[in-house]
Amino acid sequence: MRRRSIRRRERRYQGLLAALTGAVIAGVAVAAVALATDPTRSTEPSDTPASRPISADAPVSHSVPASALSLQGAIVNVVQSVSPSVVQIEDQRGLGSGIVFDASGHIVTNDHVVSGASSWTVTTASGTRYQARLVGSFPADDLAVIKIPGSRLRPATFADSSKLRVGDLAIAIGNPLGLQSSVTEGIVSAFRESVQEDSSITLPMVIQTSAAINPGNSGGALVDIEGRVIGIPTLAATDPQLGGSAPGIGFALPSNLVKDIAGQIVAKGKVVNSHRAFLGIRVGDTNGNGVLVGAVTGGDAAARAGMRVGDVITSVDGTATSTSGALSAVLAELKPGQRVPVVIRQQSGRSKTLQVTLGRFPGS
């Protein structure tokens, strides 16, 4: 199973979404809709069944267990509570999602949703549109913060993701495929470390969920049954044999990481403490035979340990590093200040073990 960032595909949904005729997903017909970037606001009346709260005095059907109706009502209430805090973010290349971070108009999202653009249009669940500016970003964790000056948006509540358990309910709210304010539900399936997003980014920890994650969900909200944000949907898994997405396997950045990195960006305009280990080198691949050191920054961890340009790193802390992605994955599991053995192959062909005290990955 491979993990694939949904960043590339979500850029394709510009303009109006074509009618989805005859499409069937899991046996359910998909209706024709318009992309949420259409400036025309929804004309759905506010008292439609989907928007009405569940009354505690409503009669209970004898054919449906009361516990099922209670769970359904809880999910409806979560969606109504959280949706005003989830927005659509659009630029000239495509769209994604975001979460209102605080009452000052800061919005946290994935870096890949906003990277490469200079201005963004933010659309709320009610259809109100704003222009936003970039506050700061941290590509290493695929997070960014934009701001809408003078807005009065409702901030989301963030949970403590360290208290999550496998099996907890998870509800994804965002704009998949441009379908504004869409909701899917599932559970927390697992917790994964060192997940490769692409060749240059390794995420230190992600939440795996069975709630469907599609292009456009990036930067949106994964929430618990109490309506608290537990993560930001970021990745979808692909099945290399089928050549498409793997249903029921999505990944989200945990809320504790989001609060930490976004909080630093809001307070300082940049990340000042990445909590990530750092060697201080530029590297290249060698067709699976190790990681070639292309440059060494003076004064950083590798230079202090005696590493030189032309060396090939073959393992770090006992783990083989056949590619630069493997090296990135190993470093994502280590912490600044740790002293670890690094095995290198010198240009002479001789192997040598260096004792390296890891530095801290620089902030944005």
Side-chain angles (χ1 to χ4, degrees):
M1 187 74 66
R2 294 187 299 177
R3 303 175 185 88
R4 174 176 54 83
S5 170
I6 51 185
R7 67 175 69 183
R8 293 193 181 96
R9 290 185 57 197
E10 65 193 0
R11 297 300 182 190
R12 300 180 184 176
Y13 299 96
Q14 290 280 28
L16 294 179
L17 186 67
L20 306 178
T21 55
V24 176
I25 300 177
V28 181
V30 180
V33 293
L35 185 64
T37 51
D38 185 343
T40 304
R41 297 188 183 184
S42 171
T43 57
E44 180 184 2
S46 59
D47 60 347
T48 56
S51 62
R52 285 201 304 267
I54 301 298
S55 171
D57 299 326
V60 177
S61 170
H62 294 293
S63 62
V64 180
S67 58
L69 291 175
S70 176
L71 176 60
Q72 175 178 275
I75 293 175
V76 170
N77 288 333
V78 165
V79 173
Q80 292 177 348
S81 173
V82 177
S83 290
S85 302
V86 180
V87 300
Q88 178 178 281
I89 301 173
E90 180 185 1
D91 59 31
Q92 64 271 23
R93 302 164 305 141
L95 57 85
S97 304
I99 305 172
V100 180
F101 189 69
D102 59 25
S104 298
H106 291 101
I107 294 170
V108 62
T109 184
N110 285 134
D111 174 69
H112 74 256
V113 170
V114 299
S115 63
S118 57
S119 63
W120 302 270
T121 299
V122 173
T123 306
T124 67
S126 66
T128 305
R129 296 163 70 87
Y130 299 92
Q131 293 301 305
R133 63 174 179 85
L134 181 68
V135 178
S137 64
F138 190 56
D141 284 335
D142 198 4
L143 285 170
V145 175
I146 60 176
K147 184 177 182 179
I148 305 172
S151 64
R152 295 180 177 272
L153 302 180
R154 182 193 301 177
T157 300
F158 286 77
D160 180 355
S161 55
S162 69
K163 296 181 179 179
L164 289 174
R165 302 166 300 174
V166 172
D168 284 345
L169 287 175
I171 303 166
I173 304 175
N175 308 286
L177 309 182
L179 306 178
Q180 190 174 356
S181 301
S182 291
V183 180
T184 57
E185 56 83 25
I187 63 170
V188 173
S189 305
F191 304 98
R192 306 293 182 192
E193 294 184 351
S194 304
V195 174
Q196 196 80 20
E197 181 169 318
D198 60 25
S199 59
S200 62
I201 297 176
T202 300
L203 303 176
M205 169 71 77
V206 294
I207 300 166
Q208 181 181 325
T209 179
S210 61
I213 306 298
N214 293 292
N217 266 124
S218 275
L222 187 70
V223 300
D224 62 15
I225 196 61
E226 296 182 58
R228 304 172 303 177
V229 176
I230 59 175
I232 288 185
T234 301
L235 301 170
T238 58
D239 188 329
Q241 293 183 336
L242 297 178
S245 61
I249 305 179
F251 303 96
L253 297 172
S255 57
N256 284 2
L257 173 67
V258 175
K259 288 186 292 183
D260 177 25
I261 298 301
Q264 292 185 54
I265 294 174
V266 168
K268 303 290 186 179
K270 62 181 181 179
V271 174
V272 295
N273 186 358
S274 66
H275 309 289
R276 284 173 165 261
F278 185 60
L279 283 173
I281 57 177
R282 285 190 301 166
V283 301
D285 284 316
T286 60
N287 295 321
N289 294 314
V291 179
L292 177 66
V293 178
V296 179
T297 304
D300 278 337
R304 293 195 302 267
M307 196 175 299
R308 298 178 179 178
V309 173
D311 290 342
V312 174
I313 302 173
T314 57
S315 76
V316 173
D317 198 29
T319 301
T321 55
S322 57
T323 65
S324 58
L327 174 62
S328 179
V330 173
L331 291 175
E333 296 181 358
L334 301 173
K335 298 297 181 184
Q338 280 187 254
R339 187 173 174 83
V340 297
V342 176
V343 179
I344 61 171
R345 186 172 62 250
Q346 298 176 319
Q347 289 180 300
S348 64
R350 176 189 172 196
S351 289
K352 184 177 181 179
T353 300
L354 305 176
Q355 296 299 322
V356 180
T357 300
L358 298 170
R360 178 182 294 156
F361 189 88
S364 53

